[in-house]
Amino acid sequence: MTETRDRPRNWHRNWLRRARDRSRRDLARRDQAWRDQSWRGWSPDGARQQPVTRQIHRLSHRLRAFDRRHPLVWDVLVTGFFMTAAFNDVLGDGWRYITQNPQAPTWLLVTLSLGFTVPLLWRRSHPVAILLPMLPLAVVNAWTGTDLQASLTLLVVTFNIALHTGLRTLLASYALTLIPIIVDGLRNATEQGADPSPDQTIIPQATRLAMVAIVGISYRTRQEYLASLVERAAQLEVERDQQARLATAAERTRIAREMHDIIGHNLSVITSLADGGSYAAAKNPERAAQALTAIGTTSRQALGELRRLLDVLRTDPSGTEQPGAEPQGPAPGLSLGLSVGLEPPGVEMAPQPSLTDLDHLIDGVRSAGLPVRTTIHGYATALPPGRQLTVYRVIQEALTNTLKHGGPDATSTVSVSYGDGGAVTATVTDTGRGSTGQGPGTEGRGLTGMRERTALYGGTLESGPLPDHGWRVHLHLPEETPQ
């Protein structure tokens, strides 16, 4: 005895949840492996040595990330560095080697050192604001001849102004910063008893200040470019996800259409055969046995088509999945929007129905009790497989609707005409009583599927009741457009 187990109603949701959890675990493992490999790069005996430039880039990236999380820490460290260097210059008498005023009082040295270094704590948040109190100190430093090296912090302020403000603000700040430079040049020329020469006193310092401003502009441009790349990557990721969702929705619609065509037609045939067999069982056992045989043949055909379709959706693309195992990833058709015709390895393949199978389809309908008369004009040899499948499915759906709604005395006529360039016209009419459920306002999934298939090739589909009684479905696919 074979034990059967029904799947839970929400089995697809559980499958998607398991696939998502597996993807997250795989990403976490890859991320941890990358981190382990990157840390091994710092060790001389690591498994794989990283280039020095890559190590420097990784270190700078971590420093920038730390700075973004804790900006005050970095500001305090930079300010402390310059303050330590300034007081080391004052207390160690290093300033006496370059000063022109060795008798400068200590309180002036301390005041200038604090004035040039403490404002750096706000150099990134308020670069222009800290420049204003530093400029008078720079003028005093130049006019008194102290020439402390701490005045070089004006270059740091200029760099931050170029980095965080606009061009007009930068030009105005540059012009203001030239004032102590000009004062220093005039004082030096006056003390030396010669005419002031800009080439010797002003232009070199002004050029140095301009170079710092250019470096700040270049760094800012690179930051903006990288930010635009990150934003573009985020947009592409969003667009990729949207395209994936659209492809998934389109694939689900296509699969639902295929499932409807397979299940709807075969179950309609089986139902008609079962009703006829039960009616003939008492009077004509031989016809009842024929009906049962036809039911078995039709059901096996439907099961075969469903098995092929489900195998495509469940089989691992790598072909390594064991039979009976749970799916190890998203279905190829659902995740990538691929056609079900692209079966992965290991799937039992079979061609999609074509117009060569039309006789078999009509024989099955006839065995279900619906008389069908066919008329064929031309040949379908030059018709592409996709167009053949569309014509086949439309005729199948029309005959299925006749079986379901036409009544016991209905007959059907199928007319197919092949033209040049892939053009084809198919008309299916019946003499049944029809059904209000087939009306245009309440058309079900079958008629919607026929219209969707027809629209893929730019064709037209007409479906409606005949003047007296019965129903008519008319399909026309135009010639293929040359590529």
Side-chain angles (χ1 to χ4, degrees):
M1 179 179 294
T2 303
E3 180 181 281
T4 60
R5 182 178 61 183
D6 296 334
R7 286 189 173 184
R9 297 182 61 182
N10 296 329
W11 65 271
H12 58 287
R13 296 181 180 176
N14 298 332
W15 177 76
L16 289 174
R17 189 181 299 109
R18 290 194 297 270
R20 184 171 58 251
D21 293 341
R22 283 192 295 268
S23 299
R24 290 176 178 175
R25 289 194 298 268
D26 293 341
L27 288 175
R29 283 196 296 268
R30 286 196 295 267
D31 184 61
Q32 186 62 38
W34 181 85
R35 291 180 180 178
D36 294 342
Q37 181 179 357
S38 64
W39 279 111
R40 285 198 303 268
W42 293 93
S43 174
D45 54 352
R48 179 182 178 184
Q49 295 296 325
Q50 300 292 335
V52 177
T53 55
R54 189 176 301 176
Q55 295 177 3
I56 295 175
H57 177 72
R58 187 178 296 112
L59 179 60
S60 63
H61 177 73
R62 292 175 180 173
L63 290 177
R64 286 195 299 267
F66 178 81
D67 184 37
R68 286 192 297 268
R69 293 192 302 268
H70 310 284
L72 183 59
V73 175
W74 188 251
D75 291 338
V76 171
L77 290 176
V78 172
T79 304
F81 170 78
F82 282 103
M83 187 179 294
T84 302
F87 279 94
N88 183 58
D89 183 45
V90 172
L91 299 178
D93 292 336
W95 64 280
R96 295 183 182 275
Y97 294 98
I98 61 174
T99 184
Q100 299 179 16
N101 184 14
Q103 273 63 35
T106 304
W107 65 267
L108 180 60
L109 300 177
V110 173
T111 302
L112 292 177
S113 298
L114 291 175
F116 284 133
T117 56
V118 172
L120 295 179
L121 189 63
W122 300 277
R123 73 189 188 282
R124 293 191 291 185
S125 58
H126 304 88
V128 179
I130 68 173
L131 177 65
L132 298 179
M134 293 177 67
L135 285 177
L137 298 176
V139 173
V140 172
N141 180 64
W143 186 256
T144 59
T146 309
D147 291 340
L148 290 181
Q149 298 186 39
S151 61
L152 295 177
T153 55
L154 286 174
L155 299 177
V156 179
V157 177
T158 303
F159 175 82
N160 283 272
I161 291 176
L163 188 61
H164 300 290
T165 63
L167 182 60
R168 291 184 179 181
T169 304
L170 175 62
L171 293 177
S173 302
Y174 180 80
L176 292 175
T177 312
L178 288 178
I179 295 176
I181 296 177
I182 296 174
V183 170
D184 183 66
L186 294 176
R187 182 184 183 279
N188 291 336
T190 302
E191 287 190 355
Q192 293 174 3
D195 294 333
S197 176
D199 295 340
Q200 299 290 331
T201 59
I202 298 176
I203 293 181
Q205 298 186 56
T207 303
R208 179 178 59 184
L209 189 66
M211 292 300 296
V212 171
I214 292 174
V215 171
I217 294 175
S218 302
Y219 187 73
R220 178 180 179 177
T221 303
R222 181 177 180 273
Q223 283 187 329
E224 293 176 349
Y225 176 70
L226 292 178
S228 65
L229 291 181
V230 172
E231 182 180 1
R232 178 58 178 166
Q235 292 178 354
L236 291 176
E237 185 176 358
V238 172
E239 293 176 1
R240 181 201 62 188
D241 295 340
Q242 291 176 348
Q243 292 294 332
R245 286 193 293 268
L246 291 175
T248 299
E251 188 66 11
R252 286 174 177 170
T253 302
R254 197 188 66 79
I255 292 173
R257 188 167 60 237
E258 291 289 338
M259 296 287 286
H260 174 271
D261 291 341
I262 295 172
I263 297 177
H265 170 73
N266 289 286
L267 287 183
S268 297
V269 173
I270 290 173
T271 301
S272 300
L273 290 172
D275 292 341
S278 62
Y279 177 77
K283 298 181 179 181
N284 193 343
E286 183 179 354
R287 292 299 300 267
Q290 294 177 357
L292 292 176
T293 301
I295 289 174
T297 302
T298 305
S299 61
R300 281 190 293 271
Q301 178 184 356
L303 286 175
E305 294 185 20
L306 286 176
R307 186 178 295 112
R308 287 191 295 271
L309 181 59
L310 294 177
D311 284 344
V312 169
L313 299 179
R314 296 186 59 200
T315 302
D316 184 15
S318 62
T320 59
E321 184 177 356
Q322 298 298 327
E326 289 294 331
Q328 298 300 317
L334 294 178
S335 62
L336 301 177
L338 299 177
S339 172
V340 173
L342 300 178
E343 288 86 356
V347 177
E348 181 183 354
M349 300 183 190
Q352 290 275 24
S354 62
L355 291 178
T356 58
D357 303 311
L358 194 58
D359 292 338
H360 179 72
L361 171 66
I362 294 176
D363 290 341
V365 174
R366 286 170 178 166
S367 64
L370 176 64
V372 181
R373 185 166 60 90
T374 60
T375 303
I376 307 296
H377 300 281
Y379 300 94
T381 54
L383 201 63
R387 289 179 170 244
Q388 294 192 36
L389 178 62
T390 298
V391 176
Y392 179 91
R393 292 302 190 192
V394 169
I395 295 175
Q396 182 187 52
E397 179 64 24
L399 295 177
T400 301
N401 289 335
T402 302
L403 277 174
K404 292 192 293 185
H405 308 292
D409 299 327
T411 61
S412 181
T413 301
V414 177
S415 175
V416 182
S417 177
Y418 303 107
D420 297 331
V424 60
T425 301
T427 304
V428 181
T429 58
D430 64 60
T431 60
R433 59 173 181 263
S435 173
T436 57
Q438 291 179 333
T442 58
E443 64 181 35
R445 188 181 297 274
L447 290 178
T448 302
M450 287 194 294
R451 297 187 190 280
E452 291 175 352
R453 290 181 183 277
T454 305
L456 290 176
Y457 297 96
T460 58
L461 180 74
E462 300 174 2
S463 177
L466 295 174
D468 297 333
H469 60 84
W471 198 267
R472 175 178 177 269
V473 175
H474 179 74
L475 165 71
H476 174 70
L477 299 181
E479 295 182 5
E480 288 188 286
T481 303
Q483 300 297 326

